[in-house]
Amino acid sequence: MKEQSTHHPKIGLALGSGSARGWAHIGVIQELANMGIEPDIVAGSSIGAIVGAAYASNQLDKLEDWVRTLTWKEILKYIDLSIAGGGFIQGNKLFELAKQNFKEDNIESLPRQFGMVATELDTGREIWFQDGSLTDALRASIALPGMFTPVKINGRWLVDGGLSNPVPVSLCRAMGADIVIAVNLNGDIVGKHTRNYDSKNESFADKDHVNDNDLWERVSTQLKNSLNERKDIILSQLFGDSINSPGLFDVLASSINIMQDRITRSRMAGDPPEIILSPRLSQLGLMEFDQASTAIEEGRACVQRMRPALEQLLVNLT
């Protein structure tokens, strides 16, 4: 009599885009591991691609150690400013650091099956990376329009994966996942980023002193101290040196929040994951990468909030 083969369902983990909120993925992965859930497949978009790559290459602890010590002054060291090339930040310094920390150069060589998403600038198509250069694909996946310069790979200009697939459930499925756990960083962010432009506020400098958690305000302040008057006026317009209107980066951040929220809702309605984890991090701004501890702990907390559903998932797998 022929023996029946048993199929072990593969678990996929889809790590969503969300800039600085993405450090929550670290806490999510750690807390899932504490429950005995070790994904077979990982897919990431934008910041989710960075954390996913660290996890897939067994470097997650190293990444956590680094991001927990980040200060805004240290972040500034990795910001190579540019007004040309389609983005405010070139990203060369940041990815030199990435090359030093990732042992494997190719995606297919990673210990864990991994893929990531970028977006083709000319067509809007999502591009999946499952092999080839890890750092090149990462650079494309996080190329947030207006912030980072786009990346040219195989003759195509690529930008942030969050523009086309903020939470890559579909990529997890395509890579063979039977069950997908999705981490959505965009569930509660619409309307939460833009600052309150109240006429009672006396000056930009005063507001910067009170709300010193916005990296872009601090960047603008530092730059203004060393630039001439004409450039100072331009920076005022960029960073919102006005009590009556938002600056360019406030508009950009809020617009990206709206877009990613709407795309996420649409994509997951058509291809729902089995479990959705939603860290509550609307208080974090687009570039507050120095708030890693807050994000990581909330990542852990969101797993605990979904613990009954996750435990039931484990029961169904046995």
Side-chain angles (χ1 to χ4, degrees):
M1 186 174 179
K2 200 173 187 178
E3 291 185 8
Q4 293 183 342
S5 61
T6 58
H7 171 67
H8 172 67
K10 289 187 176 181
I11 298 176
L13 181 63
L15 302 177
S17 61
S19 294
R21 294 183 296 273
W23 297 145
H25 292 316
I26 297 173
V28 166
I29 292 170
Q30 292 171 336
E31 200 63 22
L32 287 175
N34 289 339
M35 292 186 62
I37 299 175
E38 297 275 354
D40 304 284
I41 294 165
V42 182
S45 185
S46 196
I47 187 68
I50 291 180
V51 177
Y55 179 51
S57 58
N58 295 328
Q59 300 289 313
L60 191 66
D61 290 344
K62 189 174 183 179
L63 177 65
E64 181 188 10
D65 290 343
W66 179 61
V67 302
R68 280 189 181 272
T69 61
L70 278 177
T71 64
W72 70 268
K73 289 183 180 180
E74 188 171 351
I75 293 169
L76 289 178
K77 295 177 185 177
Y78 301 107
I79 295 179
D80 38 6
L81 300 176
S82 172
I83 58 173
F88 194 67
I89 301 170
Q90 293 179 3
N92 293 331
K93 293 180 180 179
L94 183 62
F95 279 91
E96 281 303 315
L97 178 69
K99 286 180 180 180
Q100 296 171 16
N101 284 280
F102 288 115
K103 294 179 181 179
E104 298 291 348
D105 188 47
N106 294 318
I107 300 169
E108 66 271 24
S109 301
L110 298 176
R112 194 181 303 270
Q113 190 177 355
F114 176 62
M116 68 187 97
V117 180
T119 304
E120 187 174 10
L121 188 59
D122 290 338
T123 65
R125 291 174 53 234
E126 62 180 285
I127 305 298
W128 292 350
F129 289 96
Q130 300 176 64
D131 53 32
S133 170
L134 175 63
T135 52
D136 285 352
L138 280 174
R139 188 164 184 169
S141 188
I142 71 159
L144 193 66
M147 298 287 189
F148 288 96
T149 55
V151 180
K152 195 171 188 178
I153 299 178
N154 297 328
R156 297 181 295 195
W157 285 105
L158 304 178
V159 291
D160 196 286
L163 296 179
S164 56
N165 197 350
V167 185
V169 174
S170 56
L171 177 53
C172 273
R173 303 265 191 224
M175 291 168 65
D178 300 298
I179 294 167
V180 177
I181 300 170
V183 186
N184 177 21
L185 301 173
N186 303 314
D188 65 341
I189 57 175
V190 173
K192 301 295 182 67
H193 178 80
T194 306
R195 292 170 295 172
N196 182 20
Y197 295 91
D198 193 328
S199 59
K200 294 178 182 178
N201 292 327
E202 294 181 1
S203 69
F204 178 80
D206 291 340
K207 183 163 51 184
D208 183 53
H209 175 72
V210 173
N211 181 20
D212 66 348
N213 285 330
D214 189 331
L215 174 64
W216 286 114
E217 289 184 5
R218 288 174 283 182
V219 171
S220 68
T221 301
Q222 178 163 325
L223 289 174
K224 287 179 186 182
N225 290 336
S226 60
L227 296 177
N228 60 38
E229 183 177 350
R230 184 176 179 183
K231 291 180 180 178
D232 186 58
I233 294 172
I234 295 172
L235 286 168
S236 296
Q237 295 171 345
L238 284 174
F239 293 101
D241 190 1
S242 167
I243 60 175
N244 297 316
S245 62
L248 183 149
F249 288 110
D250 289 294
V251 173
L252 180 62
S254 294
S255 299
I256 290 170
N257 286 347
I258 293 168
M259 176 198 68
Q260 292 190 342
D261 176 61
R262 298 298 183 260
I263 295 173
T264 300
R265 290 171 187 263
S266 176
R267 294 294 300 253
M268 290 203 296
D271 187 8
E274 278 65 31
I275 301 286
I276 301 176
L277 302 175
S278 300
R280 298 169 182 168
L281 291 167
S282 61
Q283 76 276 16
L284 290 190
L286 188 73
M287 299 295 289
E288 292 183 90
F289 291 102
D290 55 335
Q291 301 298 310
S293 294
T294 298
I296 291 170
E297 295 313 310
E298 174 54 24
R300 289 178 173 275
C302 82
V303 173
Q304 287 300 318
R305 289 194 294 271
M306 291 296 292
R307 190 178 186 92
L310 289 164
E311 288 176 341
Q312 185 60 50
L313 176 67
L314 289 175
V315 170
N316 293 341
L317 290 176
T318 56

